[in-house]
Amino acid sequence: MPTINLSYRLINWPKKTQFRRLSASLLVAGFCLFTAMSAMADTHSHLPKTPCDIRLEFGSDERGMPSVGYKLSLQIKNRTARDIAGVSVYWLDGKSAIIGNSAAICGAKGGSVGPSESGPCEIMVQQIGGALLQRLGQVTWTKIINHQLTNFHKVKQCAIIGYDYRDNKPKTY
């Protein structure tokens, strides 16, 4: 019968126990982190979504130099009893991943979208002016514009985070 060294077992027992406790703690922490990341990745699935896009618009700046703007456009249906003057949105790609966010002004010509009406919401999300053209040159300026356009073409829909009501009355509960 083999002899067991009890003093060896008593000395190494806390080391083994600590490792087991540590590995159990790491397992629980990893599970909690995975659950939190899954919840954070899906924070916008319950929000109302609408098709939207960002388009390139050419113009000129105050000096008469060519400028380029990227305009976010979307259409909303007002299901509230208040006029909607603006919305806050997440920009989503084809897989519903968030790739940006902004606000947009709603209504035609500075108006708002009335109750039970549909209307446009738009905002210029980026402007590239003539001063940049002078500093960088035509070729680099065009590359920047095309690169940004490629990025903005990934926007397929918008998730509406919140509304800006025209009446600006605080809600009372």
Side-chain angles (χ1 to χ4, degrees), residues 59-69 127-138 141 145:
S60 57
D61 62 12
E62 60 278 350
R63 291 191 254 158
M65 295 290 294
S67 69
V68 173
Q127 190 92 24
I128 300 175
L132 194 62
L133 171 62
Q134 285 181 331
R135 275 189 257 147
L136 299 176
Q138 182 73 32
W141 189 71
I145 290 169

Side-chain angles (χ1 to χ4, degrees), residues 150-163:
T150 302
N151 289 338
F152 286 140
H153 272 300
K154 294 176 185 173
V155 176
K156 300 297 179 199
Q157 59 183 347
C158 288
I160 299 174
I161 303 167
Y163 298 93

Side-chain angles (χ1 to χ4, degrees), residues 9 13 44 90 102 118 125 172:
R9 293 213 180 225
W13 179 77
H44 62 281
Y90 286 136
S102 66
S118 293
V125 294
T172 55

